[in-house]
Amino acid sequence: MKRMWAAAKATGLAAFIMACCTPATHAAEHPAAVDQARLLRANREPGNWMTWGRTYDEQRFSPLKEINDKTVSRLGLAWYLDLNTYRGVEGTPIVVDGVLYTTSAWNITYALDAKTGKQLWKFDPEVPAVWGRLACCDIVSRGLAVWQGKVIIATLDGRLIALDAATGKPVWSVATFDQSAPYTITGAPRVFDGKVLIGNSGAELGVRGFVTAYDASTGKQLWRFYTVPGDPKKGFENAAMEMAAKTWHGEWWKQGGGGTVWDSIVYDPSLRLIYLGVGNGGPWVQEYRSPGGGDNLFLASIVAVKADTGEYVWHYQEAPGDEWDYTATQPMILADLKIDGRTRKVIMQAPKNGFFYVLDRASGELLSATKFAPNYWASHVDLRTGRPVINPAARYDLEPILMTPAPPGAHNWNPMSYSPITGLVYFPVQEVWLPYSRDPGFTPTEGRQFRSNTGWGGTLGEAGRIATELGNSRGHAWLTAWDPVRQREAWRVDYPSRGNGGTLATAGNLVFQGTVNQTVAAYRADTGAKLWEMPVQTIPVAGPISYAVDGEQYIALSAGFGGGNAMLQEIRTTTSRKRADGRLLVFKLGGKAELPPLDEAVPLPPGPPAVPRVSEDVIENGNALYHRICAGCHGIRAVSSGVIKDLRHMTAETHAGFDDIVLRGVRERLGMASFADVLRPEEAEAIHAYVIARANEDWGRDTSRGDTPPR
Ligand code: CA
């Protein structure tokens, strides 16, 4: 107990205990009255959750403890909000002075009474449905920001919009990228010191990554930092780009190079730095991106820039010469850790590549990098050079190499949390195996096409098929409690499949998480013992938050399955496969609300049509085209978790209208726009033949998921 109190004092918790009961400001008159002073002292307002990670260090740790390891058994549903979408909901809500703000699929944004759930306003930015096909990993948004009476959202089609927090009406709006390129935004904007920062996505489609800082009051652009160099003939934007260009070869800029900052951006007020989590290379295959190799800075790196100017300070590259989609975009947490007897200001990340990194965040010095999941890619990270010792076989070519971690990552975007009391970091881990190989038929994309620009051919041919099936039969998932000082797992909770949600740690000795078993669960933060679990009819993948209104503590969570995991593979659960639409769920002690019964599942069609009488070559061409163009949403080998249509389960009507859907966009409003710009009619026909062949292969096996039509 003494130790816990010492830890609490060290992390500033003592201050909130003194200050927690000061009355809230008058929310009704001045909603979202959040400024730099309040955000710097966010720990003194445990009842509010004012930024994406609650505090600037993004620990996602709530000092509230009315709900704790003794009382959590009485936790029940206080209220819920139907989000009217079957697509993924990944957003972290924000709560300020009794008002909850949240954003859902297609960036539809809500302000709600945090105590009752009563809707105060709703804003639909009317993202054109055609943008659905540019989002690699579902039409999600991971959150929003508030600043001085404004709610700031970033839309899939690249607008940064400030809404009046009182009315939900736009105050200013800026286009953050050239809409003729295949960029999208799914990440949450971060605000600090009067600025709002946003990155983007699209490295799978052929873009050049960057982040931009805007004035939070006016939307005026303040600075921009590119993460990969552009065409040297046009001149470099800064010395960092000139340095980075020395690590690239060929004409990488023609395909953008990738390096999108699509999720993690952390502000550090003590060092006045911004840390950027930079994504994978575009194309994935280095031979197609930077022939002859090179580290390709700043792909798969954490980059520190000055908060005021965006000027480069340091970088640490996790996957030099990335060709595995090993993004360093996963959530980052700042903390003070005692390492080898010395207190260090660290930044921590558990990225896709399966190593848990601890860096000194003032200098970028690597302090430790330890495997948290099985890893075929690299034996270890050399602490002297900071470089991974990569398995030579991982540098793949035409022969498929079955590897883990795979593109979905050993840990993806699902938020992790850190408890300064236990000293543990909590995050969902997944062991995913997929084959990597080079697609010899790769052709680069042009303009705003949807065509995978990865050059990945892992599923192609007979060898690819066998490797993919073998990969699918392997792997599992768990929640880990990771000790970043001792560099080992303190405890874990096993799950039947990947797809589990982000975490919240609390001072009540609890960790909350949504699970693939269609539940929300609470575990003891120190031991992992399960203390509470409630069925919620869906798989919540987002990160939970906690807040208080009138002295009563709540747990809130966006609950809806979707996102990258849902796009790429079927998900095994121990419960019914039928799922509810997305909701915002809010829990409190003694909560008595109940979810309505699930709708009946839509019955599957009686069986697939006969495989068309075409040559094997046509079906193999359909396979290649399917994986370049369709698999990102409809799943590898046409196996889908059902968030987006499992094409093996098409009805007779859909089969009959296949060309109208694929080439004429008759289902554009459902997010399925025309692909006539990248597919000729005979190519659409080959894809259709491949999908029918896959349906026939799998028919009668246990592959149906009772999926519901997407909205
Ligand atoms: Ca990626």
Side-chain angles (χ1 to χ4, degrees), residues 143-172:
L144 34 63
V146 292
W147 182 260
Q148 293 187 336
K150 295 178 189 69
V151 174
I152 302 174
I153 63 169
T155 63
L156 194 71
D157 56 345
R159 289 170 288 157
L160 192 66
I161 305 174
L163 306 171
D164 183 327
T167 63
K169 299 272 185 300
V171 179
W172 56 256

mmCIF file of all heavy atoms in Angstrom, residues 143-172:
data_model
loop_
_atom_site.group_PDB
_atom_site.id
_atom_site.type_symbol
_atom_site.label_atom_id
_atom_site.label_comp_id
_atom_site.label_asym_id
_atom_site.label_seq_id
_atom_site.Cartn_x
_atom_site.Cartn_y
_atom_site.Cartn_z
ATOM 1 N N GLY A 143 -11.520 8.805 -33.445
ATOM 2 C CA GLY A 143 -11.829 9.770 -32.400
ATOM 3 C C GLY A 143 -11.820 11.205 -32.846
ATOM 4 O O GLY A 143 -11.696 11.516 -34.035
ATOM 5 N N LEU A 144 -11.945 12.095 -31.869
ATOM 6 C CA LEU A 144 -12.088 13.518 -32.121
ATOM 7 C C LEU A 144 -11.354 14.282 -31.024
ATOM 8 O O LEU A 144 -10.738 13.685 -30.152
ATOM 9 C CB LEU A 144 -13.579 13.903 -32.196
ATOM 10 C CG LEU A 144 -14.574 13.144 -31.293
ATOM 11 C CD1 LEU A 144 -14.278 13.375 -29.845
ATOM 12 C CD2 LEU A 144 -15.988 13.519 -31.621
ATOM 13 N N ALA A 145 -11.421 15.603 -31.128
ATOM 14 C CA ALA A 145 -10.723 16.447 -30.154
ATOM 15 C C ALA A 145 -11.632 17.616 -29.787
ATOM 16 O O ALA A 145 -12.544 17.966 -30.540
ATOM 17 C CB ALA A 145 -9.412 16.968 -30.754
ATOM 18 N N VAL A 146 -11.377 18.211 -28.624
ATOM 19 C CA VAL A 146 -12.122 19.417 -28.237
ATOM 20 C C VAL A 146 -11.127 20.512 -27.878
ATOM 21 O O VAL A 146 -10.031 20.242 -27.375
ATOM 22 C CB VAL A 146 -13.065 19.159 -27.035
ATOM 23 C CG1 VAL A 146 -14.197 18.219 -27.431
ATOM 24 C CG2 VAL A 146 -12.318 18.606 -25.835
ATOM 25 N N TRP A 147 -11.519 21.739 -28.151
ATOM 26 C CA TRP A 147 -10.645 22.862 -27.860
ATOM 27 C C TRP A 147 -11.467 24.152 -27.799
ATOM 28 O O TRP A 147 -12.109 24.516 -28.779
ATOM 29 C CB TRP A 147 -9.557 23.007 -28.933
ATOM 30 C CG TRP A 147 -8.609 24.128 -28.644
ATOM 31 C CD1 TRP A 147 -8.630 25.378 -29.197
ATOM 32 C CD2 TRP A 147 -7.530 24.125 -27.703
ATOM 33 N NE1 TRP A 147 -7.628 26.145 -28.667
ATOM 34 C CE2 TRP A 147 -6.931 25.407 -27.751
ATOM 35 C CE3 TRP A 147 -7.006 23.163 -26.823
ATOM 36 C CZ2 TRP A 147 -5.838 25.753 -26.948
ATOM 37 C CZ3 TRP A 147 -5.927 23.508 -26.034
ATOM 38 C CH2 TRP A 147 -5.348 24.783 -26.103
ATOM 39 N N GLN A 148 -11.496 24.793 -26.664
ATOM 40 C CA GLN A 148 -12.110 26.112 -26.489
ATOM 41 C C GLN A 148 -13.474 26.235 -27.178
ATOM 42 O O GLN A 148 -13.686 27.093 -28.043
ATOM 43 C CB GLN A 148 -11.156 27.204 -26.976
ATOM 44 C CG GLN A 148 -9.932 27.283 -26.069
ATOM 45 C CD GLN A 148 -9.011 28.436 -26.381
ATOM 46 O OE1 GLN A 148 -9.002 28.939 -27.505
ATOM 47 N NE2 GLN A 148 -8.229 28.862 -25.403
ATOM 48 N N GLY A 149 -14.370 25.370 -26.772
ATOM 49 C CA GLY A 149 -15.737 25.456 -27.269
ATOM 50 C C GLY A 149 -15.958 24.852 -28.633
ATOM 51 O O GLY A 149 -17.031 25.016 -29.216
ATOM 52 N N LYS A 150 -14.938 24.153 -29.156
ATOM 53 C CA LYS A 150 -15.090 23.505 -30.462
ATOM 54 C C LYS A 150 -14.835 22.011 -30.344
ATOM 55 O O LYS A 150 -14.001 21.571 -29.554
ATOM 56 C CB LYS A 150 -14.106 24.097 -31.473
ATOM 57 C CG LYS A 150 -14.360 25.552 -31.795
ATOM 58 C CD LYS A 150 -13.320 26.078 -32.772
ATOM 59 C CE LYS A 150 -13.444 27.575 -32.922
ATOM 60 N NZ LYS A 150 -13.030 28.291 -31.679
ATOM 61 N N VAL A 151 -15.563 21.267 -31.187
ATOM 62 C CA VAL A 151 -15.325 19.836 -31.327
ATOM 63 C C VAL A 151 -14.717 19.653 -32.707
ATOM 64 O O VAL A 151 -15.301 20.075 -33.708
ATOM 65 C CB VAL A 151 -16.649 19.051 -31.205
ATOM 66 C CG1 VAL A 151 -16.419 17.574 -31.485
ATOM 67 C CG2 VAL A 151 -17.256 19.251 -29.820
ATOM 68 N N ILE A 152 -13.529 19.059 -32.770
ATOM 69 C CA ILE A 152 -12.800 18.985 -34.036
ATOM 70 C C ILE A 152 -12.778 17.540 -34.518
ATOM 71 O O ILE A 152 -12.341 16.634 -33.794
ATOM 72 C CB ILE A 152 -11.376 19.551 -33.885
ATOM 73 C CG1 ILE A 152 -11.468 21.012 -33.393
ATOM 74 C CG2 ILE A 152 -10.621 19.477 -35.213
ATOM 75 C CD1 ILE A 152 -10.133 21.649 -33.060
ATOM 76 N N ILE A 153 -13.297 17.344 -35.735
ATOM 77 C CA ILE A 153 -13.306 16.007 -36.323
ATOM 78 C C ILE A 153 -12.491 16.017 -37.618
ATOM 79 O O ILE A 153 -12.297 17.068 -38.236
ATOM 80 C CB ILE A 153 -14.743 15.499 -36.611
ATOM 81 C CG1 ILE A 153 -15.454 16.389 -37.645
ATOM 82 C CG2 ILE A 153 -15.553 15.421 -35.329
ATOM 83 C CD1 ILE A 153 -16.763 15.790 -38.162
ATOM 84 N N ALA A 154 -12.010 14.831 -37.994
ATOM 85 C CA ALA A 154 -11.268 14.677 -39.248
ATOM 86 C C ALA A 154 -11.990 13.609 -40.050
ATOM 87 O O ALA A 154 -12.180 12.488 -39.576
ATOM 88 C CB ALA A 154 -9.832 14.246 -38.961
ATOM 89 N N THR A 155 -12.428 13.952 -41.265
ATOM 90 C CA THR A 155 -13.317 13.062 -42.000
ATOM 91 C C THR A 155 -12.545 12.147 -42.953
ATOM 92 O O THR A 155 -11.427 12.448 -43.363
ATOM 93 C CB THR A 155 -14.353 13.863 -42.811
ATOM 94 O OG1 THR A 155 -13.663 14.651 -43.785
ATOM 95 C CG2 THR A 155 -15.180 14.759 -41.905
ATOM 96 N N LEU A 156 -13.186 11.056 -43.308
ATOM 97 C CA LEU A 156 -12.583 10.064 -44.211
ATOM 98 C C LEU A 156 -12.074 10.725 -45.490
ATOM 99 O O LEU A 156 -11.027 10.354 -46.025
ATOM 100 C CB LEU A 156 -13.646 9.008 -44.555
ATOM 101 C CG LEU A 156 -13.147 7.727 -45.203
ATOM 102 C CD1 LEU A 156 -12.373 6.875 -44.208
ATOM 103 C CD2 LEU A 156 -14.316 6.918 -45.770
ATOM 104 N N ASP A 157 -12.805 11.732 -45.987
ATOM 105 C CA ASP A 157 -12.417 12.402 -47.230
ATOM 106 C C ASP A 157 -11.480 13.583 -46.976
ATOM 107 O O ASP A 157 -11.298 14.429 -47.854
ATOM 108 C CB ASP A 157 -13.648 12.834 -48.038
ATOM 109 C CG ASP A 157 -14.585 13.732 -47.254
ATOM 110 O OD1 ASP A 157 -14.465 13.807 -46.011
ATOM 111 O OD2 ASP A 157 -15.445 14.388 -47.874
ATOM 112 N N GLY A 158 -10.885 13.660 -45.800
ATOM 113 C CA GLY A 158 -9.746 14.548 -45.588
ATOM 114 C C GLY A 158 -10.052 15.924 -45.070
ATOM 115 O O GLY A 158 -9.162 16.768 -45.006
ATOM 116 N N ARG A 159 -11.301 16.182 -44.672
ATOM 117 C CA ARG A 159 -11.595 17.504 -44.109
ATOM 118 C C ARG A 159 -11.341 17.501 -42.599
ATOM 119 O O ARG A 159 -11.638 16.527 -41.908
ATOM 120 C CB ARG A 159 -13.058 17.870 -44.378
ATOM 121 C CG ARG A 159 -13.367 18.187 -45.826
ATOM 122 C CD ARG A 159 -14.865 18.300 -46.045
ATOM 123 N NE ARG A 159 -15.520 16.991 -45.977
ATOM 124 C CZ ARG A 159 -16.801 16.803 -45.699
ATOM 125 N NH1 ARG A 159 -17.580 17.842 -45.436
ATOM 126 N NH2 ARG A 159 -17.324 15.584 -45.667
ATOM 127 N N LEU A 160 -10.795 18.589 -42.130
ATOM 128 C CA LEU A 160 -10.713 18.833 -40.696
ATOM 129 C C LEU A 160 -11.784 19.874 -40.411
ATOM 130 O O LEU A 160 -11.770 20.965 -41.006
ATOM 131 C CB LEU A 160 -9.320 19.359 -40.358
ATOM 132 C CG LEU A 160 -8.921 19.410 -38.880
ATOM 133 C CD1 LEU A 160 -8.827 18.007 -38.281
ATOM 134 C CD2 LEU A 160 -7.575 20.117 -38.722
ATOM 135 N N ILE A 161 -12.742 19.517 -39.561
ATOM 136 C CA ILE A 161 -13.902 20.391 -39.347
ATOM 137 C C ILE A 161 -14.012 20.704 -37.864
ATOM 138 O O ILE A 161 -14.000 19.801 -37.022
ATOM 139 C CB ILE A 161 -15.215 19.718 -39.816
ATOM 140 C CG1 ILE A 161 -15.097 19.262 -41.279
ATOM 141 C CG2 ILE A 161 -16.398 20.668 -39.645
ATOM 142 C CD1 ILE A 161 -16.299 18.453 -41.763
ATOM 143 N N ALA A 162 -14.115 22.004 -37.548
ATOM 144 C CA ALA A 162 -14.368 22.423 -36.162
ATOM 145 C C ALA A 162 -15.850 22.724 -36.028
ATOM 146 O O ALA A 162 -16.407 23.521 -36.789
ATOM 147 C CB ALA A 162 -13.538 23.654 -35.828
ATOM 148 N N LEU A 163 -16.494 22.064 -35.053
ATOM 149 C CA LEU A 163 -17.922 22.259 -34.812
ATOM 150 C C LEU A 163 -18.093 23.087 -33.546
ATOM 151 O O LEU A 163 -17.321 22.937 -32.593
ATOM 152 C CB LEU A 163 -18.608 20.907 -34.616
ATOM 153 C CG LEU A 163 -18.402 19.879 -35.730
ATOM 154 C CD1 LEU A 163 -18.952 18.522 -35.300
ATOM 155 C CD2 LEU A 163 -19.083 20.351 -37.009
ATOM 156 N N ASP A 164 -19.094 23.916 -33.540
ATOM 157 C CA ASP A 164 -19.462 24.635 -32.320
ATOM 158 C C ASP A 164 -19.953 23.593 -31.307
ATOM 159 O O ASP A 164 -20.932 22.884 -31.572
ATOM 160 C CB ASP A 164 -20.563 25.648 -32.660
ATOM 161 C CG ASP A 164 -20.949 26.487 -31.451
ATOM 162 O OD1 ASP A 164 -20.906 25.966 -30.313
ATOM 163 O OD2 ASP A 164 -21.304 27.659 -31.647
ATOM 164 N N ALA A 165 -19.289 23.497 -30.164
ATOM 165 C CA ALA A 165 -19.626 22.445 -29.199
ATOM 166 C C ALA A 165 -21.040 22.601 -28.644
ATOM 167 O O ALA A 165 -21.623 21.635 -28.143
ATOM 168 C CB ALA A 165 -18.613 22.440 -28.055
ATOM 169 N N ALA A 166 -21.597 23.802 -28.743
ATOM 170 C CA ALA A 166 -22.950 24.014 -28.222
ATOM 171 C C ALA A 166 -24.015 23.544 -29.203
ATOM 172 O O ALA A 166 -25.082 23.077 -28.793
ATOM 173 C CB ALA A 166 -23.156 25.499 -27.902
ATOM 174 N N THR A 167 -23.732 23.656 -30.496
ATOM 175 C CA THR A 167 -24.781 23.409 -31.492
ATOM 176 C C THR A 167 -24.456 22.287 -32.473
ATOM 177 O O THR A 167 -25.348 21.790 -33.165
ATOM 178 C CB THR A 167 -25.011 24.685 -32.332
ATOM 179 O OG1 THR A 167 -23.784 24.979 -33.040
ATOM 180 C CG2 THR A 167 -25.389 25.866 -31.456
ATOM 181 N N GLY A 168 -23.183 21.940 -32.615
ATOM 182 C CA GLY A 168 -22.787 20.958 -33.629
ATOM 183 C C GLY A 168 -22.695 21.550 -35.024
ATOM 184 O O GLY A 168 -22.536 20.816 -36.002
ATOM 185 N N LYS A 169 -22.754 22.864 -35.138
ATOM 186 C CA LYS A 169 -22.667 23.520 -36.458
ATOM 187 C C LYS A 169 -21.198 23.818 -36.787
ATOM 188 O O LYS A 169 -20.446 24.261 -35.921
ATOM 189 C CB LYS A 169 -23.447 24.834 -36.447
ATOM 190 C CG LYS A 169 -24.938 24.670 -36.157
ATOM 191 C CD LYS A 169 -25.711 24.418 -37.438
ATOM 192 C CE LYS A 169 -27.215 24.371 -37.228
ATOM 193 N NZ LYS A 169 -27.690 23.336 -36.304
ATOM 194 N N PRO A 170 -20.806 23.607 -38.068
ATOM 195 C CA PRO A 170 -19.411 23.871 -38.431
ATOM 196 C C PRO A 170 -19.019 25.337 -38.234
ATOM 197 O O PRO A 170 -19.799 26.246 -38.538
ATOM 198 C CB PRO A 170 -19.349 23.504 -39.914
ATOM 199 C CG PRO A 170 -20.488 22.570 -40.120
ATOM 200 C CD PRO A 170 -21.560 23.020 -39.175
ATOM 201 N N VAL A 171 -17.822 25.544 -37.711
ATOM 202 C CA VAL A 171 -17.257 26.883 -37.532
ATOM 203 C C VAL A 171 -16.200 27.134 -38.607
ATOM 204 O O VAL A 171 -16.154 28.186 -39.207
ATOM 205 C CB VAL A 171 -16.622 27.020 -36.129
ATOM 206 C CG1 VAL A 171 -16.007 28.401 -35.937
ATOM 207 C CG2 VAL A 171 -17.644 26.722 -35.042
ATOM 208 N N TRP A 172 -15.325 26.156 -38.795
ATOM 209 C CA TRP A 172 -14.394 26.213 -39.920
ATOM 210 C C TRP A 172 -14.143 24.805 -40.437
ATOM 211 O O TRP A 172 -14.388 23.810 -39.742
ATOM 212 C CB TRP A 172 -13.091 26.943 -39.580
ATOM 213 C CG TRP A 172 -12.276 26.434 -38.405
ATOM 214 C CD1 TRP A 172 -12.209 27.007 -37.169
ATOM 215 C CD2 TRP A 172 -11.399 25.288 -38.362
ATOM 216 N NE1 TRP A 172 -11.357 26.280 -36.363
ATOM 217 C CE2 TRP A 172 -10.831 25.232 -37.081
ATOM 218 C CE3 TRP A 172 -11.029 24.318 -39.296
ATOM 219 C CZ2 TRP A 172 -9.935 24.225 -36.688
ATOM 220 C CZ3 TRP A 172 -10.134 23.316 -38.916
ATOM 221 C CH2 TRP A 172 -9.598 23.283 -37.616
#
